[in-house]
Coordinates of all heavy atoms in Angstrom, one line a residue:
K662 N -17.4 10.1 -18.6 CA -17.5 9.4 -20.0 C -16.3 9.9 -20.8 O -15.8 9.0 -21.5 CB -18.8 10.0 -20.7 CG -20.0 9.5 -20.2 CD -21.4 10.0 -20.8 CE -22.6 9.5 -20.2 NZ -23.8 10.0 -20.8
N663 N -15.8 11.0 -20.7 CA -14.6 11.4 -21.3 C -13.5 10.6 -20.9 O -12.6 10.1 -21.7 CB -14.2 13.0 -21.2 CG -15.3 13.9 -21.8 OD1 -16.1 13.4 -22.5 ND2 -15.1 15.1 -21.6
L664 N -13.3 10.4 -19.6 CA -12.2 9.7 -19.0 C -12.3 8.2 -19.4 O -11.2 7.6 -19.7 CB -12.2 9.9 -17.5 CG -11.1 9.1 -16.7 CD1 -9.7 9.8 -17.1 CD2 -11.3 9.3 -15.2
I665 N -13.5 7.7 -19.4 CA -13.5 6.2 -19.7 C -13.2 6.1 -21.3 O -12.6 5.1 -21.6 CB -15.0 5.8 -19.5 CG1 -15.2 5.7 -17.9 CG2 -15.2 4.4 -20.1 CD1 -16.6 5.3 -17.6
T666 N -13.6 7.1 -22.1 CA -13.3 6.9 -23.5 C -11.8 7.0 -23.7 O -11.2 6.2 -24.4 CB -13.9 8.1 -24.3 OG1 -15.4 8.0 -24.1 CG2 -13.6 8.0 -25.7
V667 N -11.2 7.8 -23.0 CA -9.7 7.8 -23.0 C -8.9 6.8 -22.6 O -8.1 6.2 -23.2 CB -9.2 9.2 -22.3 CG1 -7.7 9.2 -22.1 CG2 -9.6 10.4 -23.0
I668 N -9.5 6.1 -21.5 CA -8.8 5.0 -20.9 C -9.0 3.7 -21.8 O -7.9 3.0 -21.9 CB -9.4 4.7 -19.4 CG1 -9.0 5.7 -18.5 CG2 -8.9 3.3 -19.0 CD1 -9.6 5.7 -17.1
I669 N -10.1 3.6 -22.4 CA -10.3 2.5 -23.4 C -9.5 2.7 -24.5 O -8.7 1.6 -24.9 CB -11.8 2.5 -23.8 CG1 -12.7 2.1 -22.7 CG2 -11.9 1.5 -25.0 CD1 -14.2 2.2 -23.0
A670 N -9.3 4.0 -25.1 CA -8.3 4.1 -26.2 C -7.0 3.8 -25.8 O -6.1 3.3 -26.5 CB -8.6 5.5 -26.7
M671 N -6.5 4.3 -24.5 CA -5.2 4.0 -24.1 C -5.0 2.6 -23.9 O -3.8 2.1 -24.3 CB -5.0 4.7 -22.7 CG -3.6 4.5 -22.1 SD -3.6 5.2 -20.4 CE -4.7 4.1 -19.6
A672 N -5.9 1.8 -23.4 CA -5.7 0.3 -23.3 C -5.5 -0.4 -24.6 O -4.7 -1.2 -24.8 CB -6.9 -0.3 -22.5
R673 N -6.3 0.1 -25.6 CA -6.1 -0.5 -26.9 C -4.9 -0.2 -27.5 O -4.1 -1.2 -28.0 CB -7.2 0.0 -27.9 CG -8.7 -0.3 -27.4 CD -9.8 0.3 -28.4 NE -11.1 -0.3 -28.0 CZ -12.2 0.4 -28.4 NH1 -12.1 1.4 -29.3 NH2 -13.3 -0.2 -28.2
R674 N -4.4 1.0 -27.4 CA -3.0 1.4 -28.0 C -1.9 0.7 -27.2 O -1.0 0.1 -27.8 CB -2.8 2.9 -27.9 CG -1.6 3.4 -28.4 CD -1.4 3.0 -29.9 NE -0.1 3.4 -30.4 CZ 0.1 4.3 -31.5 NH1 -0.9 4.8 -32.0 NH2 1.3 4.6 -31.9
T675 N -2.0 0.6 -25.9 CA -1.0 -0.1 -25.2 C -1.0 -1.6 -25.4 O 0.1 -2.2 -25.5 CB -1.3 0.1 -23.7 OG1 -1.3 1.5 -23.4 CG2 -0.1 -0.5 -22.8
A676 N -2.1 -2.2 -25.6 CA -2.2 -3.6 -25.9 C -1.6 -3.9 -27.3 O -0.9 -4.9 -27.4 CB -3.6 -4.0 -25.9
R677 N -1.8 -2.9 -28.2 CA -1.1 -3.2 -29.4 C 0.5 -3.2 -29.5 O 1.0 -3.8 -30.3 CB -1.6 -2.2 -30.6 CG -3.1 -2.3 -30.9 CD -3.4 -1.8 -32.2 NE -3.3 -0.3 -32.2 CZ -4.4 0.4 -32.0 NH1 -5.6 -0.1 -31.7 NH2 -4.2 1.7 -31.7
Q678 N 1.0 -2.5 -28.4 CA 2.4 -2.4 -28.4 C 3.0 -3.1 -27.3 O 4.1 -2.8 -26.9 CB 2.8 -0.8 -28.3 CG 2.3 0.0 -29.6 CD 2.9 1.4 -29.5 OE1 3.4 1.8 -28.4 NE2 2.9 2.1 -30.6
S679 N 2.3 -4.1 -26.7 CA 2.8 -4.9 -25.7 C 2.9 -6.3 -26.2 O 2.1 -6.8 -26.9 CB 1.7 -4.8 -24.5 OG 1.6 -3.6 -24.0
D680 N 4.1 -6.9 -25.8 CA 4.4 -8.3 -26.3 C 3.7 -9.3 -25.3 O 3.3 -10.4 -25.8 CB 5.8 -8.5 -26.1 CG 6.6 -7.6 -27.2 OD1 6.0 -7.3 -28.2 OD2 7.8 -7.2 -27.0
T681 N 3.6 -9.0 -24.0 CA 3.0 -10.0 -23.0 C 2.0 -9.3 -22.2 O 1.9 -8.0 -22.3 CB 4.0 -10.6 -22.2 OG1 4.6 -9.6 -21.4 CG2 5.1 -11.3 -23.0
F682 N 1.2 -10.0 -21.6 CA 0.2 -9.4 -20.6 C 0.9 -8.6 -19.5 O 0.4 -7.4 -19.1 CB -0.7 -10.5 -20.0 CG -1.7 -9.8 -19.1 CD1 -2.9 -9.1 -19.5 CD2 -1.5 -9.9 -17.7 CE1 -3.7 -8.6 -18.7 CE2 -2.5 -9.3 -16.8 CZ -3.5 -8.7 -17.3
T683 N 2.0 -9.2 -19.0 CA 2.7 -8.4 -18.0 C 3.3 -7.2 -18.5 O 3.2 -6.1 -17.7 CB 3.9 -9.3 -17.5 OG1 3.4 -10.6 -17.0 CG2 4.7 -8.6 -16.4
D684 N 3.8 -7.2 -19.7 CA 4.2 -5.8 -20.4 C 3.1 -5.0 -20.4 O 3.2 -3.7 -20.0 CB 4.8 -6.1 -21.8 CG 5.5 -5.0 -22.3 OD1 5.8 -4.1 -21.6 OD2 5.5 -5.0 -23.6
F685 N 1.9 -5.3 -20.9 CA 0.8 -4.6 -21.0 C 0.4 -4.0 -19.7 O 0.1 -2.8 -19.5 CB -0.4 -5.3 -21.6 CG -1.7 -4.6 -21.5 CD1 -2.0 -3.5 -22.4 CD2 -2.5 -5.0 -20.4 CE1 -3.4 -2.9 -22.1 CE2 -3.8 -4.4 -20.3 CZ -4.3 -3.3 -21.2
E686 N 0.3 -4.8 -18.6 CA -0.1 -4.3 -17.2 C 0.8 -3.4 -16.7 O 0.4 -2.4 -16.2 CB -0.2 -5.6 -16.3 CG -0.7 -5.3 -14.9 CD -0.6 -6.5 -14.0 OE1 0.1 -7.4 -14.4 OE2 -1.3 -6.5 -13.0
T687 N 2.1 -3.5 -16.8 CA 3.0 -2.6 -16.4 C 2.9 -1.2 -17.0 O 2.8 -0.1 -16.3 CB 4.5 -3.1 -16.7 OG1 4.6 -4.4 -16.0 CG2 5.5 -2.1 -16.1
K688 N 2.8 -1.2 -18.4 CA 2.7 0.1 -19.2 C 1.4 0.8 -18.7 O 1.2 2.0 -18.5 CB 2.8 -0.1 -20.6 CG 4.1 -0.7 -21.1 CD 4.2 -1.0 -22.5 CE 5.5 -1.6 -23.0 NZ 5.4 -2.0 -24.4
F689 N 0.3 0.0 -18.9 CA -1.0 0.5 -18.7 C -1.2 1.0 -17.2 O -1.7 2.2 -17.1 CB -2.0 -0.6 -18.9 CG -3.6 0.0 -18.8 CD1 -4.0 0.8 -19.8 CD2 -4.4 -0.6 -18.0 CE1 -5.2 1.3 -19.8 CE2 -5.8 -0.2 -18.0 CZ -6.1 0.8 -18.9
S690 N -0.8 0.4 -16.1 CA -0.9 0.9 -14.9 C -0.1 2.2 -14.7 O -0.5 3.1 -14.1 CB -0.4 -0.1 -13.8 OG 0.9 -0.5 -14.1
G691 N 1.1 2.2 -15.3 CA 1.9 3.4 -15.1 C 1.2 4.6 -15.8 O 1.2 5.8 -15.2
R692 N 0.6 4.4 -16.9 CA -0.1 5.6 -17.6 C -1.4 6.0 -16.8 O -1.7 7.2 -16.6 CB -0.5 5.2 -19.0 CG 0.8 5.1 -19.9 CD 0.5 4.7 -21.2 NE 1.8 4.6 -22.0 CZ 2.1 3.7 -22.8 NH1 1.3 2.6 -23.0 NH2 3.2 3.7 -23.4
L693 N -2.0 5.1 -16.2 CA -3.1 5.4 -15.3 C -2.7 6.2 -14.1 O -3.3 7.2 -13.7 CB -3.9 4.1 -14.8 CG -4.8 3.4 -15.8 CD1 -5.4 2.2 -15.3 CD2 -5.8 4.4 -16.4
Q694 N -1.5 5.8 -13.5 CA -1.0 6.7 -12.5 C -0.6 8.0 -12.8 O -0.9 8.9 -12.1 CB 0.1 5.9 -11.8 CG -0.2 4.5 -11.1 CD 0.9 3.6 -10.8 OE1 2.1 4.0 -11.1 NE2 0.7 2.5 -10.4
G695 N -0.1 8.2 -14.0 CA 0.2 9.5 -14.4 C -0.9 10.3 -14.6 O -1.0 11.5 -14.3
L696 N -1.9 9.8 -15.2 CA -3.2 10.5 -15.4 C -3.9 10.8 -14.0 O -4.4 11.9 -13.8 CB -4.2 9.7 -16.2 CG -5.5 10.2 -16.5 CD1 -5.5 11.5 -17.3 CD2 -6.6 9.2 -17.3
A697 N -3.7 9.9 -13.2 CA -4.2 10.1 -11.8 C -3.5 11.4 -11.1 O -4.2 12.1 -10.4 CB -4.1 8.9 -10.9
R698 N -2.3 11.5 -11.3 CA -1.5 12.6 -10.7 C -2.1 14.0 -11.2 O -2.3 14.9 -10.4 CB 0.0 12.4 -11.0 CG 0.7 11.4 -10.0 CD 2.2 11.6 -10.1 NE 2.6 11.2 -11.4 CZ 3.0 9.9 -11.7 NH1 2.9 9.0 -10.7 NH2 3.5 9.6 -12.8

Side-chain angles (χ1 to χ4, degrees):
K662 290 177 181 177
N663 287 354
L664 184 60
I665 291 174
T666 301
V667 168
I668 290 175
I669 291 173
M671 179 188 68
R673 291 174 179 168
R674 181 62 185 242
T675 304
R677 287 199 295 266
Q678 294 189 346
S679 300
D680 297 329
T681 64
F682 178 78
T683 301
D684 185 27
F685 166 79
E686 182 183 19
T687 302
K688 297 175 183 175
F689 185 63
S690 61
R692 289 174 179 142
L693 285 181
Q694 292 166 2
L696 179 60
R698 281 193 289 274

